[in-house]
Amino acid sequence: MDASSGPVIALSGGVGGAKLVLGLYRILPPDTLTVVANTGDDFEHLGLTVCPDLDTLLYTLSGQANPELGWGRADETWTFMAALQRLGGETWFRLGDGDLATHVERTRRLAGGESLSAVIDSFRRRLGIGARLLPMSDDAVRTRLETDRGALDFQDYFVRLRCEPAVRRLHFAGSETARPHPEAIAALAHPALRAVVICPSNPFISIDPILAVPGMRDTLRASKAPVVAVSPIIGGQAVKGPTAKMMAELGLPVDATTVAHRYADFLDVYVADEADADAVAGLDMPVVLGPTLMQTLEGRERLASLVLETADRVRK
Ligand code: FO1
């Protein structure tokens, strides 16, 4: 098999990662792409299992994503939330009416004994998505943060407190005993694998939980395929979300090099933005500069092409 027709794996969180995943999906034969998603943001809310990053990927790849919010569905209605508010229910985490169907059906099927990956695989097929979408593990892993306001569950920190508390430390409860999804490990070890793409997601809350699942990091280190990461930092700032704020709070340099250093043990090449040329100049690894801000569909496809071309060039 020619290297440039082999399978591709992307490790992704929600919003930022999903943009590059969509670019990859649009330029590759759909069945060559496998996406391994962070489930550290998942939680139980109102009796439902909510999986934000998996759902952002499902909605993005099926053309239903809400571009303004960055999560949930486009053209959503909010009757459920309004009714819940009238009853004095919890409304800090907003579940749209259509989105609610995803959580209700997932929760019902999980309670019936199906694995999360089986439920997601069924949803993505029903939604006409040709790429494989895998949770990093079928076992529960939950991101928790130690902050200046005490220990917080991820969604309490992220949504209820709008990322305001200063983060001191993160940990991924359940990761010690979680089993990586076997298809993810098999895909990473595939002899014809073309590339592993680490999407421009927040390294602390989106990619680190995936790497914390036993076996993931070792399999990446041993991968024969090129591992390419795309910087989520552009011009020294995060495009969206708390990445830069967390870097500062954790005592790390607020620039694109911090992300590259976190992945240094398995990374073959780092794709950074042209605006960060000076910051990454001293990095002790191959770096490719390009336009990494994905404001349009074309921008997503262009970055996806650059990432794959880069992988093909550094092929071991
Ligand atoms: N993010 C918010 O900032 N506010 C919300 O009310 C909210 C609701 C929500 C509902 C379903 C879902 O899948 C995601 C939702 N998110 C919301 C995003 C979620 O918190 C993500 O974990 C973060 O965006 C980090 O990826």
Side-chain angles (χ1 to χ4, degrees):
M1 192 194 278
D2 168 19
S4 64
S5 61
V8 172
I9 300 188
L11 271 52
S12 179
V15 194
K19 288 184 183 174
L20 181 58
V21 166
L22 181 62
L24 291 166
Y25 183 59
R26 289 177 58 90
I27 64 167
L28 285 168
D31 61 352
T32 59
L33 179 63
T34 297
V35 184
V36 178
N38 169 42
T39 56
D41 297 12
D42 295 8
F43 76 136
E44 312 298 319
H45 185 60
L46 306 175
L48 302 170
T49 301
V50 179
C51 304
D53 289 355
L54 281 165
D55 291 354
T56 295
L57 288 158
L58 281 173
Y59 296 150
T60 300
L61 295 178
S62 61
Q64 299 181 81
N66 185 319
E68 284 87 39
L69 291 176
W71 48 268
R73 297 159 71 257
D75 304 320
E76 188 60 279
T77 55
W78 302 92
T79 306
F80 168 72
M81 276 285 108
L84 187 63
Q85 187 159 28
R86 282 201 73 182
L87 296 173
E90 270 190 66
T91 54
W92 60 271
F93 195 83
R94 291 154 61 203
L95 298 178
D97 297 334
D99 189 33
L100 191 58
T102 306
H103 310 305
V104 169
E105 180 59 6
R106 172 171 39 229
T107 305
R108 184 189 73 76
R109 291 171 67 162
L110 289 173
E114 282 183 61
S115 65
L116 179 60
S117 53
V119 176
I120 296 299
D121 196 56
S122 148
F123 284 1
R124 68 99 182 165
R125 285 173 196 275
R126 297 285 305 197
L127 297 175
I129 298 169
R132 249 189 327 175
L133 178 55
L134 301 173
M136 62 198 199
S137 175
D138 275 326
D139 302 318
V141 176
R142 299 289 180 259
T143 298
R144 299 204 205 290
L145 304 98
E146 282 168 30
T147 74
D148 61 351
R149 293 204 225 164
L152 295 169
D153 288 342
F154 180 77
Q155 298 297 346
D156 272 342
Y157 161 79
F158 197 94
V159 177
R160 201 168 56 78
L161 299 173
R162 295 181 296 276
C163 308
E164 283 163 9
V167 177
R168 306 272 180 250
R169 214 175 70 86
L170 295 102
H171 69 108
F172 310 110
S175 65
E176 304 78 9
T177 52
R179 291 154 300 177
H181 196 283
E183 280 182 53
I185 295 295
L188 284 169
H190 193 293
L193 188 63
R194 179 179 180 186
V196 181
V197 181
I198 315 292
C199 288
S201 299
N202 182 316
F204 310 107
I205 57 175
S206 297
I207 303 297
D208 275 2
I210 304 178
L211 300 176
V213 176
M216 284 288 188
R217 196 163 200 130
D218 288 344
T219 311
L220 278 176
R221 278 198 203 115
S223 170
K224 299 246 184 323
V227 182
V228 188
V230 178
S231 172
I233 295 289
I234 301 184
Q237 294 181 339
V239 179
K240 195 170 189 274
T243 311
K245 179 176 177 283
M246 281 183 171
M247 282 177 179
E249 290 163 357
L250 294 169
L252 299 165
V254 184
D255 65 39
T257 62
T258 292
V259 185
H261 285 136
R262 285 192 93 71
Y263 305 150
D265 56 317
F266 55 77
L267 204 59
D268 292 300
V269 55
Y270 189 50
V271 176
D273 197 83
E274 289 145 347
D276 299 298
D278 289 349
V280 297
L283 269 179
D284 187 17
M285 66 173 72
V287 176
V288 168
L289 297 173
T292 62
L293 188 63
M294 295 174 281
Q295 279 173 318
T296 60
L297 204 45
E298 293 70 41
R300 290 163 205 194
E301 292 175 7
R302 203 183 324 116
L303 183 57
S305 299
L306 175 65
V307 166
L308 294 180
E309 284 160 22
T310 300
D312 293 345
R313 239 178 298 126
V314 302
R315 212 178 160 74
K316 291 167 257 188

